[in-house]
Amino acid sequence: SCSRRIDHSLMRVLITGATGFLGRALVRAFLADGAERIVLYSRSESRQAEVAAELGDHPALRFFLGDVRDRERLVQAMWHCDAVAHCAALKRVDSVAYNPDEVRKTNVLGSANVSSAAVEAGVAKVLMISSDKSCLAQNAYGVSKAQMEHEAIAYTRISYPRGTKIACTRYGNVLGSTGSVVSLWRAAVAAGLPIPITDPDMTRFWFTVGQAVDVVREALARMEGGELFVPVLSAMRLGDLAEAVAPGWPVRVIGLRPGGEKRHELLLNDDEATRTVAVTESLYVVKPALPTWRADDPWDGEPFPAGAVYRSDLVPRLSVEEMRAMLKEM
């Protein structure tokens, strides 16, 4: 684990997409860290009501209805915040394939609004949540996240002199997240149906929501502006995952989904690897390809192996038993 308590400069935090799976987990984590104020920024009135009912009348919580497409509303919500965790996104690969312009409006333009609003509001740190699908992207979702990364890191040249540091982090698949295969497969089992699998030999990076929260904590604590944080993760075949979820249950191979689905995911390509160092046993940092406003290099660590890539079929595999233990943590 790379867990780290947020420091006193990060006691007032805004979370976009705060009523989503990761957003809710971050709210609980920052409450446990003793945050002075947590602004939950999201579009869904009903989901905000659900979170309010779950967490009770906590004095640190502030509920703001709003869309990341609305820059003015973002500025209002960010006043007197120290940090922003930007989780809001359209992310379902199949629906995104049919609605690429809507994805651009939220994932690209909305993320740009988050950056510029943070500068105007005087926020110290902004962390953009990206995805392994952004690395050598092959679908509309991955392309939108790749564009978000490039714009956020480039924007640091403007934001850093104004006192706002912006960085990104890439994630793999979070077990139990909304719409995840684990949830879908469990529903199929409950209905007595075969588990639908795109390809049993397909591999994916996996980690728990607790690990995901730890990465956000660590990145917010360590970020200097312009970097990309990448967690050290293990991977697993989908066929093995199905065996961990429902031992001996029949499966049905359905093939790759339309819209550009990869058989194996990348967290780092070979070009990025030349700029990558390991800062802890569980976290890499990718230095920006182009200079940011800073003239110095704030990062030191063990370089990523020359010529290597960080791909889900080339990293240590989780065993069925290890995955079952992770599933119990959900």
Side-chain angles (χ1 to χ4, degrees):
S1 171
C2 59
S3 61
R4 172 182 291 209
R5 299 294 184 183
I6 56 175
D7 58 43
H8 290 293
S9 68
L10 300 173
M11 287 289 100
R12 296 171 297 185
V13 184
L14 179 141
I15 304 168
T16 69
T19 56
F21 185 79
L22 177 60
R24 293 189 190 203
L26 288 174
V27 171
R28 294 187 184 92
F30 291 141
L31 280 176
D33 289 339
E36 175 186 324
R37 185 168 77 249
I38 303 171
V39 179
L40 291 81
Y41 189 91
S42 72
R43 298 183 302 173
S44 175
E45 182 181 23
S46 59
R47 285 193 175 184
Q48 287 200 3
E50 289 175 4
V51 175
E54 288 173 9
L55 300 179
D57 188 21
H58 197 288
L61 300 180
R62 303 289 187 276
F63 292 88
F64 271 68
L65 285 171
D67 195 311
V68 293
R69 301 182 187 187
D70 186 343
R71 183 184 177 281
E72 182 178 353
R73 181 62 169 164
L74 281 167
V75 173
Q76 292 174 341
M78 288 182 188
W79 279 117
H80 303 298
C81 285
D82 304 305
V84 170
H86 176 42
C87 305
L90 295 176
K91 60 188 69 173
R92 292 186 62 89
V93 172
D94 45 2
S95 64
V96 163
Y98 289 101
N99 300 277
D101 196 48
E102 292 304 300
V103 176
R104 180 183 65 87
K105 292 173 185 176
T106 294
N107 294 4
V108 180
L109 301 180
S111 298
N113 285 340
V114 170
S115 294
S116 61
V119 172
E120 182 171 336
V123 175
K125 298 182 178 183
V126 178
L127 183 67
M128 303 281 187
I129 308 301
S130 190
S131 165
D132 51 8
K133 291 178 175 57
S134 69
C135 189
L136 300 183
Q138 290 186 4
N139 54 53
Y141 171 63
V143 168
S144 72
K145 285 295 188 178
Q147 183 70 19
M148 181 199 76
E149 289 178 5
H150 285 293
E151 292 196 9
I153 291 170
Y155 197 81
T156 306
R157 299 176 186 174
I158 301 170
S159 67
Y160 190 92
R162 297 286 299 272
T164 300
K165 299 176 181 179
I166 303 174
C168 301
T169 183
R170 281 182 189 157
Y171 275 1
N173 291 43
V174 181
L175 286 169
S177 59
T178 305
S180 71
V181 292
V182 172
S183 301
L184 295 174
W185 289 354
R186 285 178 168 170
V189 171
L193 300 173
I195 291 175
I197 295 182
T198 52
D199 180 350
D201 290 323
M202 179 184 286
T203 58
R204 289 293 183 266
F205 294 103
W206 298 98
F207 64 157
T208 65
V209 68
Q211 291 172 311
V213 167
D214 284 346
V215 173
V216 171
R217 277 198 183 110
E218 190 78 1
L220 283 171
R222 288 179 173 268
M223 62 186 290
E224 296 291 341
E227 60 276 296
L228 172 64
F229 292 91
V230 177
V232 176
L233 300 177
S234 297
M236 195 176 202
R237 291 175 63 253
L238 289 191
D240 293 336
L241 177 63
E243 181 64 19
V245 172
W249 198 263
V251 302
R252 178 171 59 93
V253 178
I254 60 175
L256 301 182
R257 291 178 295 176
E261 190 171 32
K262 298 178 184 176
R263 294 186 72 247
H264 308 291
E265 293 290 3
L266 275 168
L267 276 168
L268 290 171
N269 61 47
D270 54 354
D271 176 65
E272 293 168 332
T274 64
R275 299 180 275 112
T276 300
V277 295
V279 294
T280 71
E281 291 183 353
S282 52
L283 195 66
Y284 293 113
V285 164
V286 184
K287 303 174 187 181
L290 298 174
T292 61
W293 187 83
R294 289 184 64 140
D296 62 324
D297 179 1
W299 292 106
D300 187 26
E302 183 69 23
F304 197 83
V309 295
Y310 189 8
R311 201 172 69 194
S312 58
D313 61 329
L314 302 176
V315 300
R317 297 278 183 88
L318 291 162
S319 68
V320 172
E321 292 73 22
E322 289 171 326
M323 177 55 74
R324 284 175 183 159
M326 291 175 67
L327 291 170
K328 289 180 181 178
E329 296 181 31
M330 288 172 49

